[in-house]
């Protein structure tokens, strides 16, 4: 293939731009903020689960508490009623009196037990509320951290977008001045080999694969006309000759 030395030099610019675009693409895909946000998302989900469990516990405990408090109240009313009867001195029968007194005694015992239950439930409720509050605080902290990381990621993406737009524009202008057949060859090599498709021959070394060319290979390059498109046998890249080629 033939192409002017100027067009061949343009391939080096194109290869630099494609390397830059590849770097930007890689940076976009591997932004550390992506991993951070994934981790924060997991943390947020765990916190949400903990809050749901605490809320369920709180609702259960509230129900149990109101039941136990109602029981205490019922017993209290019953004791009051019995005491009124005793105080009024309306019960004169000794056996009835004894039975009423023993009922009051057992009711008091029941009241004590129920009050213990209420106290225990209140303690459990307090612990559940503390867990719930801790969860809410943590959720808020995770949310704030997420917002900060999102902002950092957005700034990084904006920066990458700007650099990419610049490189894209330069690439479009560079491609304009490269002959179609040379560009097609460049694209073909890039698709099959990956990485740089054109490299500078610098001091006898291929700038693509970094291999030094043998004397025979160098002689062959020397013999090639300036508008001959030379390729490195080893890596198949287009070798672009410059004043630094060491020919
Ligand atoms: Zn090479």
């Amino acid at each position: 293939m033939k192409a002017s030395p100027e067009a061949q030099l343009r391939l080096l610019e194109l290869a630099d731009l494609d390397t830059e675009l590849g770097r930007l693409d890689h940076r976009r895909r591997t932004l550390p903020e992506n991993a951070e946000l994934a981790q924060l998302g997991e943390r947020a989900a765990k916190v949400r689960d903990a809050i749901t469990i605490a809320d369920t516990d709180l609702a259960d405990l509230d129900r149990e508490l109101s039941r136990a408090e109602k029981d205490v109240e019922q017993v209290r009313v019953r004791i009051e009623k019995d005491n009124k009867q005793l105080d009024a001195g309306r019960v004169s029968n000794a056996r009835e009196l004894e039975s009423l007194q023993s009922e009051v005694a057992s009711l008091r015992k029941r009241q004590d037990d129920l009050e213990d239950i209420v106290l225990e439930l209140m303690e459990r409720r307090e612990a559940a509320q503390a867990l719930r509050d801790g969860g809410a605080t943590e959720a808020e902290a995770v949310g704030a951290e997420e917002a900060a990381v999102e902002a950092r990621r957005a700034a990084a993406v904006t920066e990458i977008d700007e650099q990419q737009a610049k490189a894209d524009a330069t690439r479009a202008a560079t491609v304009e001045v490269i002959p179609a057949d040379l560009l097609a060859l460049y694209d073909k090599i890039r698709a099959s080999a990956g990485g740089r498709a054109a490299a500078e021959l610098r001091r006898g070394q291929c700038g693509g694969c970094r291999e030094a060319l043998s004397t025979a290979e160098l002689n062959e390059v020397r013999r090639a006309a300036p508008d001959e498109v030379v390729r490195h046998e080893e890596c198949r890249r287009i070798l672009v000759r410059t004043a630094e080629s060491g020919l």
Side-chain angles (χ1 to χ4, degrees):
M1 184 181 293
K2 301 254 180 207
S4 72
E6 294 74 31
Q8 292 188 40
L9 282 172
R10 287 299 186 135
L11 282 186
L12 292 180
E13 288 170 34
L14 191 60
D16 284 344
L17 287 165
D18 284 335
T19 302
E20 166 76 356
L21 284 166
R23 191 186 63 78
L24 289 171
D25 188 48
H26 179 259
R27 202 186 146 205
R28 185 193 298 278
R29 276 185 285 109
T30 58
L31 280 176
E33 285 82 7
N34 290 338
E36 281 179 60
L37 283 171
Q39 268 185 345
L40 284 169
E42 278 173 33
R43 247 178 82 193
K46 271 186 200 156
V47 173
R48 270 197 304 275
D49 286 350
I51 288 176
T52 305
I53 290 170
D55 278 341
T56 310
D57 284 351
L58 279 173
D60 289 348
L61 287 166
D62 280 342
R63 251 196 315 276
E64 282 181 58
L65 251 176
S66 96
R67 206 181 303 139
E69 278 164 350
K70 221 176 279 166
D71 289 347
V72 170
E73 179 61 13
Q74 271 176 0
V75 172
R76 195 190 59 75
V77 168
R78 184 85 181 274
I79 292 171
E80 210 177 75
K81 203 178 127 208
D82 286 356
N83 276 336
K84 256 184 204 154
Q85 259 189 298
L86 286 170
D87 291 346
R90 255 183 262 135
V91 185
S92 47
N93 181 301
R95 257 181 60 194
E96 241 178 87
L97 192 68
E98 198 185 317
S99 139
L100 202 53
Q101 278 166 341
S102 106
E103 184 181 279
V104 168
S106 79
L107 282 170
R108 282 205 195 288
K109 168 85 175 65
R110 169 102 178 107
Q111 188 180 25
D112 282 349
D113 290 348
L114 282 169
E115 277 168 357
D116 283 349
I117 289 173
V118 168
L119 270 179
E120 194 216 313
L121 284 171
M122 282 169 90
E123 273 168 22
R124 281 169 60 196
R125 197 197 181 284
E126 214 170 291
Q129 185 66 54
L131 279 177
R132 173 69 175 78
D133 292 347
T137 305
E138 166 125 31
E140 210 173 299
V142 171
E145 220 175 306
E146 272 178 325
V149 177
E150 289 275 16
R152 243 195 295 132
R153 177 168 70 173
V157 168
T158 302
E159 192 192 306
I160 293 169
D161 284 345
E162 282 168 8
Q163 290 176 0
Q164 191 180 341
K166 224 160 86 184
D168 278 339
T170 313
R171 190 185 195 280
T174 305
V175 161
E176 286 276 322
V177 296
I178 296 172
D181 56 349
L182 183 61
L183 191 62
L185 176 65
Y186 172 90
D187 285 338
K188 202 180 105 191
I189 297 170
R190 194 155 72 102
S192 65
R196 299 181 73 91
E200 182 188 357
L201 175 63
R202 192 177 170 82
R203 294 196 192 108
Q205 192 189 51
C206 168
C209 66
R210 305 278 164 202
E211 287 272 329
L213 274 69
S214 69
T215 312
E217 284 173 316
L218 280 175
N219 281 334
E220 213 171 301
V221 177
R222 277 187 193 108
R223 274 198 300 274
D227 64 349
E228 186 68 42
V229 176
V230 177
R231 293 177 65 180
H232 187 202
E233 286 299 328
E234 298 289 328
C235 68
R236 303 305 296 147
R237 288 185 173 90
I238 297 168
L239 269 182
V240 180
R241 288 158 286 175
T242 68
E244 315 278 291
S245 289
L247 296 169

